[in-house]
Amino acid sequence: MTLFRLFCTATFLLITTANSYSQNFDGDISYGYYDKAHKFLYENTDSASYYANKLLDYGIKHNDSITIGQGYHTIAYTYYYKNNFQKALEYFKITEKIFTQLKMPEDLGIVYMDFGNMYSDIGQLEICLKHYKKAERLMKDYSRNPEDLAILYYNMAHVFMDLHDLKNLTKYIDKAIDYLAANNLDFMDAPFNNMKAFLAIELGNTREALIMASDALAASKLENDRIETIFAFQNLGRANIRLGKIDTGFAYLDSSLAEAKLFEDEFIISTELAINANEYLNNGFNKKADSLAREAYHLGLKQNSLLITLRVCDVYAKTLEVNGEFKEAIKVYRKYTVAHDSVNSFSLNEKILEAENELSQQKNALLMAEATLLRTNNSKNRMLML
């Protein structure tokens, strides 16, 4: 999962036609499965998988197409949070087909944002933005939740942050903030203060960045948002270092890494290790940089992300070069080059994207069998989840 990417979920619709569910269908039960699955995404993906598959089974049992779609959608999220993008893509595609057939454009907007998030994680930022644009068109016309479009604008801004395109980053921050103000929304204080702090640092407005990052930290603590807390510590660290407050700055960076490790997501940890290693290296702390970069490298290569591979290889190769380990540095640079070339040509199994217009019975049978297997594997978590 990309660090600091924001997610929203479509309104869980339980309005169906008389033919789409049995007399015993109980929306409270299906919503309970849905709600628990999404809560566990951040804490225990096996538990989230268990409830996602309970939701799918419930929809199948009661012949409810909307609940089936939400079941597949939620299963896709569980794969996403396990960094299994290939499987996540497959389930998102199934969800897209179901919501298209059911004429649910609001939910389709969310799915297109999900595609964008996934392509962003992989490093396919051009494809990511195309999906975000599809999502924007649908959300503008059909979304009943203004929060959805605000989150989309934040994610679009984050892509330009990754690209270091400060002009478009500024544009989408302003666009998002104007939209939030127009809709009287104030639930994104931490994310946008963090984003503005990052931009201020890049533009050299460091003291302004400190104020924004401090506000972001306070808001994230209040909202118990650990991801934005990591980002706020990171911004405070980078801002203080640029003001010459080296000890204070690195103390904040150490806090960002400690918070990331408490979050227990290897994708986030490897990202934070690479960011911190780069700061230590740029300030002459070569031994510390080497330790962090080495850890980032070995952890990052385990992730299913070309973007992470680029980050960890880049900083690790630099630390090896600074420390005179030129042969090893060349090997790592080669991995960086391969990943960079792959980003430019990566198709993420495009044959899935060009799959048949209708799901075959065999395909459905295989996916339902997999859902049963997931339930079996996750049964050990039942005591934890109750």
Side-chain angles (χ1 to χ4, degrees):
M1 168 181 63
T2 291
L3 190 56
F4 319 129
R5 191 75 58 212
L6 288 182
F7 293 85
C8 59
T9 55
T11 303
F12 188 69
L13 300 176
L14 295 172
I15 304 170
T16 55
T17 63
N19 294 327
S20 68
Y21 62 92
S22 74
Q23 271 189 322
N24 295 323
F25 182 77
D26 188 338
D28 289 339
I29 293 174
S30 58
Y31 183 79
Y33 292 145
Y34 173 89
D35 186 54
K36 287 181 179 178
H38 281 265
K39 285 180 179 176
F40 275 110
L41 280 173
Y42 295 94
E43 301 171 15
N44 187 306
T45 49
D46 286 339
S47 297
S49 294
Y50 172 85
Y51 282 114
N53 282 280
K54 292 286 285 185
L55 177 63
L56 176 60
D57 280 354
Y58 198 81
I60 292 170
K61 178 181 178 181
H62 295 283
N63 193 30
D64 180 78
S65 300
I66 293 176
T67 303
I68 291 170
Q70 289 290 353
Y72 280 125
H73 197 191
T74 309
I75 291 171
Y77 280 132
T78 65
Y79 278 117
Y80 185 94
Y81 273 77
K82 291 178 180 178
N83 299 323
N84 187 339
F85 300 133
Q86 203 70 58
K87 294 300 294 184
L89 176 67
E90 189 172 343
Y91 278 87
F92 281 136
K93 284 303 295 181
I94 295 166
T95 307
E96 179 192 10
K97 291 179 186 300
I98 292 172
F99 288 164
T100 299
Q101 290 168 1
L102 293 174
K103 295 181 171 57
M104 296 171 65
E106 178 181 10
D107 296 67
L108 273 174
I110 302 298
V111 174
Y112 286 130
M113 187 172 75
D114 295 334
F115 279 129
N117 291 342
M118 194 160 50
Y119 277 111
S120 176
D121 282 359
I122 294 161
Q124 288 281 0
L125 300 183
E126 183 178 352
I127 299 175
C128 159
L129 287 170
K130 286 180 181 178
H131 282 89
Y132 281 163
K133 284 294 185 182
K134 285 184 182 180
E136 183 181 20
R137 287 193 292 271
L138 289 173
M139 287 180 182
K140 278 183 172 179
D141 291 339
Y142 298 104
S143 180
R144 288 167 289 174
N145 298 312
E147 294 91 343
D148 292 351
L149 194 55
I151 290 170
L152 176 67
Y153 284 146
Y154 174 88
N155 288 346
M156 293 175 81
H158 231 292
V159 171
F160 293 114
M161 189 175 83
D162 289 338
L163 289 168
H164 283 269
D165 182 341
L166 300 187
K167 181 179 179 180
N168 274 311
L169 173 57
T170 303
K171 173 184 173 181
Y172 274 91
I173 288 176
D174 291 343
K175 194 171 183 177
I177 290 172
D178 289 345
Y179 179 80
L180 287 167
N183 289 277
N184 297 313
L185 299 172
D186 59 1
F187 76 105
M188 295 180 72
D189 287 345
F192 277 105
N193 274 316
N194 266 326
M195 187 77 78
K196 289 187 289 185
F198 174 90
L199 179 60
I201 291 169
E202 295 301 305
L203 293 173
N205 302 324
T206 315
R207 296 190 183 281
E208 183 182 341
L210 276 178
I211 296 170
M212 293 171 178
S214 296
D215 289 345
L217 181 61
S220 66
K221 291 285 190 181
L222 185 65
E223 297 164 9
N224 196 28
D225 187 336
R226 297 178 77 174
I227 290 182
E228 291 303 327
T229 298
I230 295 167
F231 197 5
F233 279 140
Q234 185 191 116
N235 282 328
L236 286 166
R238 294 175 66 236
N240 274 286
I241 289 168
R242 280 150 185 73
L243 287 171
K245 299 177 182 179
I246 303 298
D247 290 343
T248 301
F250 282 115
Y252 276 122
L253 288 183
D254 290 345
S255 294
S256 72
L257 180 55
E259 193 72 24
K261 288 185 174 180
L262 286 173
F263 198 71
E264 296 183 344
D265 184 299
E266 291 185 344
F267 197 104
I268 291 175
I269 294 168
S270 54
T271 300
E272 199 61 26
L273 282 165
I275 291 169
N276 288 14
N278 202 58
E279 287 293 332
Y280 275 103
L281 184 65
N282 289 340
N283 286 276
F285 296 94
N286 297 343
K287 187 175 180 180
K288 179 69 172 179
D290 180 71
S291 173
L292 293 171
R294 191 181 302 270
E295 187 179 355
Y297 176 74
H298 291 296
L299 185 61
L301 290 186
K302 291 166 54 181
Q303 311 306 309
N304 187 20
S305 170
L306 292 171
L307 197 62
I308 291 292
T309 299
L310 286 171
R311 285 174 178 165
V312 300
C313 286
D314 181 50
V315 69
Y316 188 41
K318 288 176 182 175
T319 60
L320 288 168
E321 191 174 359
V322 166
N323 291 320
E325 299 180 50
F326 300 111
K327 287 185 179 179
E328 211 45 48
I330 289 171
K331 290 179 184 177
V332 177
Y333 272 127
R334 282 175 182 161
K335 289 185 179 180
Y336 174 89
T337 302
V338 169
H340 184 271
D341 292 344
S342 296
V343 164
N344 293 331
S345 62
F346 191 73
S347 65
L348 190 58
N349 197 356
E350 288 296 331
K351 64 184 179 183
I352 293 177
L353 291 175
E354 299 168 1
E356 65 280 1
N357 291 328
E358 295 182 4
L359 293 171
S360 67
Q361 290 184 355
Q362 181 182 11
K363 184 75 168 177
N364 272 323
L366 286 171
L367 290 167
M368 289 172 65
E370 184 180 56
T372 302
L373 178 61
L374 276 170
R375 282 197 312 281
T376 302
N377 290 340
N378 293 327
S379 62
K380 63 181 182 293
N381 294 300
R382 295 189 71 175
M383 291 301 293
L384 171 66
M385 295 180 289
L386 295 175

